[in-house]
Amino acid sequence: MKRNILSAIIFLSLSSSITHAQIVDKKNLIEKNAQLEKIADGFGFTEGPAVSRLGDVYFSDQPNNRIIKWSFFTNKTEVFMEDAGRSNGMFMDREGNIIACADENNQLWSIDDKGNKTVLLEAYQGKKLNGPNDLYITPSGTMYITDPLYKREYWTRDAVSEQNGEHLYLLSADRLQFMRVDDKLVKPNGIVGTYDGKTLYVADIGAEKVYKYDIIEDGFLTNREVFINRGSDGMTIDYRGNLYLTGADGVKIYNRKGEEIGHIPIPEKWTANVVFAGPDRKTLFITASEGIYKIRMKVYGTY
């Protein structure tokens, strides 16, 4: 009993310190006097925010197997889709479809504005994928998809990889070519690219590194290098090229040189993902465990 009481005291103390931790903004990226605002809570675990052309956000509530829509103009949420394939990472394509990493059955889905789904991928060379986790779509339409292996309680299959590892994949803009573009990763997770489609960042959460790549002709990757020696869950980027990483310590911001220039503490156990939202893409929208948050920025996102 004493141990339980002590654990509770430690947890409350940590929660309090997280709640009262100060925002760090070394480069004036955050709007003056802006405060972190909790939009809503009570979700199972929030992930995968994808931004519509109007600036609204679709995000996944994975344990409850649904996709939720947050309206920028009303600041309210509503259920967009049930039976959402346990969607994790998501991204909006040029046609306004949600591309979702539906790892319930190792698939990649395209979901239209009515909630109708089309399965785009579920295997590589005839073998099941591990469970697509996150993706990024370049301005030209090329998709990059991370495929780590996370054992899920809801899987009815054996949690054994049919692939020979956990890799990074490319799906061509015409969706006719699907190939591996990096097979030297431990557990790839978050992924994002620059607005010009020339640079890609991939978080290898298993190796505690974020890698940087040059994107060349036909989407192939070259010049892989370690951008920073820390992992991340979801990621986003602003027009200056600053990278926003997530995890146990909220949102950390790094400039193009890999120097930490900002920190937005989030009062949750885990911060899973982040994206720029709103018509002007200046609202930083954050998914974190059971809640979703926002804060106004001076800088804007690029997709």
Side-chain angles (χ1 to χ4, degrees):
M1 181 64 71
K2 289 182 179 179
R3 180 177 297 176
N4 291 338
I5 292 172
L6 180 59
S7 297
I9 291 171
I10 292 172
F11 174 77
L12 288 172
S13 176
L14 287 172
S15 299
S16 177
S17 65
I18 292 171
T19 302
H20 294 96
Q22 296 297 311
I23 291 174
V24 177
D25 182 15
K26 297 179 181 179
K27 296 296 181 179
N28 296 316
L29 305 177
I30 300 170
E31 192 174 273
K32 186 177 180 180
N33 299 322
Q35 299 294 318
L36 182 70
E37 176 187 339
K38 179 184 281 189
I39 301 168
D41 58 15
F43 304 104
F45 186 82
T46 60
E47 248 287 10
V51 184
S52 74
R53 290 172 183 169
L54 295 176
D56 299 330
V57 178
Y58 295 80
F59 65 94
S60 55
D61 182 7
Q62 194 180 42
N64 293 312
N65 198 17
R66 58 187 184 171
I67 294 172
I68 310 294
K69 177 184 177 181
W70 168 72
S71 170
F72 172 81
F73 295 101
T74 66
N75 201 33
K76 294 181 179 180
T77 62
E78 62 180 344
V79 176
F80 168 72
M81 183 180 184
E82 303 276 8
D83 299 321
R86 302 285 184 173
S87 290
N88 199 326
M90 302 189 295
F91 204 97
M92 197 76 66
D93 72 10
R94 293 174 295 181
E95 288 72 43
N97 301 305
I98 298 170
I99 308 301
C101 293
D103 79 354
E104 183 174 24
N105 292 304
N106 319 82
Q107 297 171 334
L108 188 73
W109 288 4
S110 176
I111 305 169
D112 68 17
D113 59 0
K114 301 294 190 299
N116 301 308
K117 77 173 190 295
T118 301
V119 177
L120 300 180
L121 295 171
E122 57 186 349
Y124 174 73
Q125 295 186 345
K127 297 180 180 180
K128 288 181 180 180
L129 295 168
N130 296 320
N133 183 275
D134 208 350
L135 76 152
Y136 166 71
I137 305 177
T138 70
S140 66
T142 301
M143 298 185 198
Y144 296 94
I145 304 143
T146 59
D147 186 46
L149 181 65
Y150 288 105
K151 183 178 179 180
R152 306 298 192 185
E153 294 179 357
Y154 46 77
W155 280 351
T156 57
R157 62 184 174 85
D158 292 335
V160 177
S161 176
E162 292 188 12
Q163 301 298 327
N164 64 351
E166 305 177 37
H167 308 304
L168 174 66
Y169 294 85
L170 176 154
L171 179 63
S172 61
D174 59 13
R175 298 177 183 171
L176 296 178
Q177 292 182 300
F178 182 52
M179 64 189 78
R180 285 181 186 162
V181 285
D182 194 340
D183 59 2
K184 300 293 192 296
L185 300 166
V186 179
K187 190 175 289 292
N189 195 305
I191 184 168
V192 74
T194 54
Y195 71 94
D196 57 7
K198 294 182 178 180
T199 305
L200 184 72
Y201 295 92
V202 177
D204 187 341
I205 204 166
E208 286 295 316
K209 298 181 187 302
V210 174
Y211 292 104
K212 178 182 177 181
Y213 307 78
D214 291 335
I215 301 174
I216 57 175
E217 189 177 357
D218 296 326
F220 288 99
L221 302 178
T222 188
N223 297 330
R224 181 177 103 156
E225 63 181 64
V226 175
F227 173 70
I228 191 168
N229 286 299
R230 66 155 287 170
S232 181
D233 201 335
M235 303 190 293
T236 196
I237 195 167
D238 67 28
Y239 80 97
R240 294 182 185 174
N242 299 314
L243 205 61
Y244 296 66
L245 309 186
T246 60
D249 49 4
V251 179
K252 289 288 187 79
I253 308 170
Y254 296 84
N255 65 16
R256 292 172 181 266
K257 297 179 181 180
E259 299 165 338
E260 184 177 328
I261 59 172
H263 179 210
I264 304 173
I266 307 297
E268 302 270 356
K269 296 178 183 178
W270 186 259
T271 301
N273 220 319
V274 61
V275 75
F276 282 90
D280 60 2
R281 298 301 193 267
K282 285 188 174 182
T283 295
L284 195 67
F285 181 96
I286 303 158
T287 65
S289 295
E290 298 177 359
I292 53 173
Y293 297 78
K294 68 177 182 177
I295 189 168
R296 285 292 290 175
M297 308 291 290
K298 288 182 179 179
V299 292
Y300 58 85
T302 57
Y303 59 83

